[in-house]
Amino acid sequence: MSGSSLFKMRLVHLDLKGAPPKVSYLAEVFPLFHALGANGLLIEYEDMFPYKGHLRLLRAQHAYSPSEIKEILHLATLNELEVVPLVQTFGHMEFVLKHEALAHLREVAFFPNTLNPHEAESLALVGAMIDQVMELHPGARWLHVGCDEVYYLGEGEASRQWLQQEQNNKARLCLSHVKAVASHVLARHPATKPLVWDDMLRDIPEDQLSASGVPQLVEPMLWDYTADLDVHGKALLMEKYQKCGFRQLWAASAFKGATGVSQALTPIEHHLRNHMQWLQVAAHGPADTLQGIVLTGWQRYDHFSVLCELLPVGIPSLAVCLQSLLQGGFAEDVKTRVENFLGMPSLEITGFTSEGAASFPGSDILALVTQVGLHLRSSVDEMLYRDRYVTGWFSSYHRRRKLIHPVMIQHIQPQALR
């Protein structure tokens, strides 16, 4: 069975909370996404969305303008890529709750990641965010509302008091907020179905999940980015969700950004194995349950972390993963197809180096990052931390103060210029 029949929707995730691409670059790369087999985009705007009015403080200085958002959507349409916007509404709210004006809406006062679900103002805030995003995405069939990794839920003062009541627990607290957010989406945008990440739902008992009303409101996205994911366990989880009343499910894999918070080069073999496992899940799980798969490409682990692999660096991995899903595996003929798409003479799956220059959009960035990551960084580290002249006379202390003994320049300069 071909992968195309297992996953009818294949969305590429654009994580814009770090190194967001210029619109001109997206114009170059969207045709490649389409050619490789993608038919949709999950766009996680975070602070790159042009929020306005009382939400203007959420937008980054270099956020896309409304006209640029419209151009991105136009480019997506031209390349037959259906856009699903993503708005975080519970966890991963750092870009919102870092602001002093909104800090009072934190679940735990010291941590800006999780929204306090007890405050009416919290729901009003995420409702306004959703409405502004939907205003620029009219006709979107789905809206992803996040709700993953809601760390420290139940640890705020209001939650502690609420949890003291006998019938209350963290699962109920989580479900009540998800239900409120989803209800807002469906009330204001009835043609749009909310999607949620599934990790906060996994361990909730079937009876509680069924009784919550959430399964009738949202479609969960089962995510697992590991190379050895538990296929049988995922099939059982899908069955559980079906029993609880969820009509459609989604899968989420990763083509980059899931193997190290500061990863610079993409380990293609890891991501290929991840997708091979997801193909097994789709083949062995309940029939016709998976609506599609999102190939996530994380750019930061959270709002405050460093960048992991840049989008151009991850494109060979994306090509391998998309084609593997489409063809149902990664045989030699699929590898040849990928190399032709990328204009790459020989693609290396198990390492970080590939022979010859590639010609896909952004391939020059990949070449530079590879040069720095595999060659320049190690030689610079060797010089900075092991050369006696540098450690003795040109240490970080000296460099910060721009001080050096002139005699030492003749020892250091020849090595620096090699």
Side-chain angles (χ1 to χ4, degrees):
M1 182 181 290
S2 72
S4 59
S5 61
L6 292 176
F7 295 108
K8 61 181 178 181
M9 296 293 297
R10 298 170 299 279
L11 277 61
V12 176
H13 173 227
L14 295 177
D15 180 15
L16 302 180
K17 64 176 175 282
K22 291 183 177 180
V23 177
S24 58
Y25 179 69
L26 296 178
E28 295 182 61
V29 83
F30 281 2
L32 178 60
F33 289 177
H34 172 72
L36 289 170
N39 55 13
L41 302 169
L42 177 66
I43 304 184
E44 184 164 354
Y45 289 107
E46 217 207 41
D47 60 0
M48 284 301 294
F49 187 81
Y51 289 108
K52 60 186 178 180
H54 70 289
L55 298 181
R56 188 178 180 85
L57 80 167
L58 304 184
R59 63 192 289 179
Q61 288 186 348
H62 54 285
Y64 295 124
S65 67
S67 62
E68 286 177 317
I69 298 290
K70 292 176 182 176
E71 178 63 16
I72 291 170
L73 299 181
H74 175 64
L75 291 168
T77 300
L78 289 178
N79 291 283
E80 300 177 49
L81 300 169
E82 182 166 1
V83 172
V84 177
L86 188 155
V87 183
Q88 286 287 5
T89 59
F90 206 177
H92 286 293
M93 292 284 285
E94 292 93 344
F95 81 102
V96 176
L97 299 177
K98 71 177 183 180
H99 297 285
E100 185 177 352
L102 298 170
H104 64 285
L105 296 178
R106 298 174 179 179
E107 165 71 340
V108 176
F110 192 63
F111 303 138
N113 51 296
T114 295
L115 190 69
N116 180 345
H118 302 279
E119 294 286 345
E121 189 181 346
S122 294
L123 184 59
L125 170 66
V126 296
M129 292 167 61
I130 287 169
D131 293 344
Q132 288 198 18
V133 169
M134 288 302 296
E135 183 181 344
L136 287 182
H137 294 79
R141 287 200 289 169
W142 295 281
L143 170 69
H144 203 308
V145 295
C147 297
D148 60 316
E149 298 181 331
V150 189
Y151 298 135
Y152 307 106
L153 180 64
E155 297 186 20
E157 184 56 36
S159 289
R160 289 178 187 274
Q161 294 180 19
W162 185 84
L163 290 170
Q164 288 177 1
Q165 300 176 39
E166 185 177 351
Q167 74 276 20
N168 291 340
N169 54 46
K170 289 184 182 180
R172 184 180 179 190
L173 180 59
C174 177
L175 290 168
S176 65
H177 183 74
V178 172
K179 184 176 182 178
V181 172
S183 296
H184 174 89
V185 174
L186 294 168
R188 296 293 298 272
H189 315 281
T192 303
K193 187 73 172 183
L195 307 179
V196 295
W197 301 115
D198 86 305
D199 54 291
M200 298 299 294
L201 308 177
R202 293 172 193 164
D203 297 327
I204 298 178
E206 283 185 30
D207 57 346
Q208 187 174 5
L209 198 49
S210 299
S212 69
V214 168
Q216 288 70 46
L217 302 177
V218 306
E219 295 177 4
M221 191 170 282
L222 290 72
W223 62 270
D224 194 323
Y225 312 141
T226 58
D228 56 352
L229 68 85
D230 179 0
V231 173
H232 179 63
K234 284 290 181 292
L236 291 177
L237 183 58
M238 289 166 62
E239 290 179 7
K240 170 188 172 178
Y241 286 152
Q242 275 196 314
K243 290 177 183 177
C244 292
F246 291 104
R247 297 185 184 89
Q248 293 288 345
L249 308 176
W250 293 71
S253 57
F255 73 89
K256 78 174 188 74
T259 57
V261 68
S262 59
Q263 186 79 28
L265 294 168
T266 307
I268 297 178
E269 185 178 26
H270 171 100
H271 297 289
L272 173 59
R273 288 173 58 196
N274 174 245
H275 286 78
M276 291 300 94
Q277 296 294 88
W278 271 114
L279 280 173
Q280 290 189 48
V281 173
H284 292 92
D288 301 321
T289 302
L290 286 172
Q291 178 82 9
I293 186 168
V294 171
L295 294 86
T296 64
W298 301 101
Q299 196 55 77
R300 296 186 197 271
Y301 276 30
D302 67 36
H303 184 75
F304 293 108
S305 69
V306 297
L307 296 173
C308 37
E309 308 104 295
L310 299 173
L311 178 57
V313 172
I315 283 181
S317 176
L318 175 63
V320 167
C321 297
L322 271 172
Q323 279 290 293
S324 297
L325 291 178
L326 201 63
Q327 305 301 326
F330 191 72
E332 193 62 33
D333 62 321
V334 181
K335 180 174 181 288
T336 300
R337 287 171 59 89
V338 169
E339 289 168 346
N340 290 336
F341 278 124
L342 300 178
M344 186 175 282
S346 178
L347 176 64
E348 177 61 52
I349 300 296
T350 58
F352 293 117
T353 57
S354 295
E355 294 181 13
S359 60
F360 65 86
S363 57
D364 52 338
I365 300 296
L366 171 59
L368 289 170
V369 173
T370 302
Q371 177 68 21
V372 170
L374 296 185
H375 308 295
L376 182 59
R377 179 179 293 173
S378 59
S379 62
V380 169
D381 287 348
E382 178 72 24
M383 183 177 178
L384 289 179
Y385 302 112
R386 293 181 178 84
D387 183 278
R388 64 185 294 265
Y389 296 109
V390 174
T391 58
W393 286 274
F394 198 46
S395 66
S396 59
Y397 173 89
H398 294 89
R399 294 195 296 274
R400 283 197 304 271
R401 289 160 178 78
K402 299 181 180 180
L403 297 172
I404 187 171
H405 194 305
V407 171
M408 294 302 151
I409 294 176
Q410 63 185 328
H411 295 288
I412 295 171
Q413 189 175 43
Q415 295 185 68
L417 296 177
R418 277 194 307 190

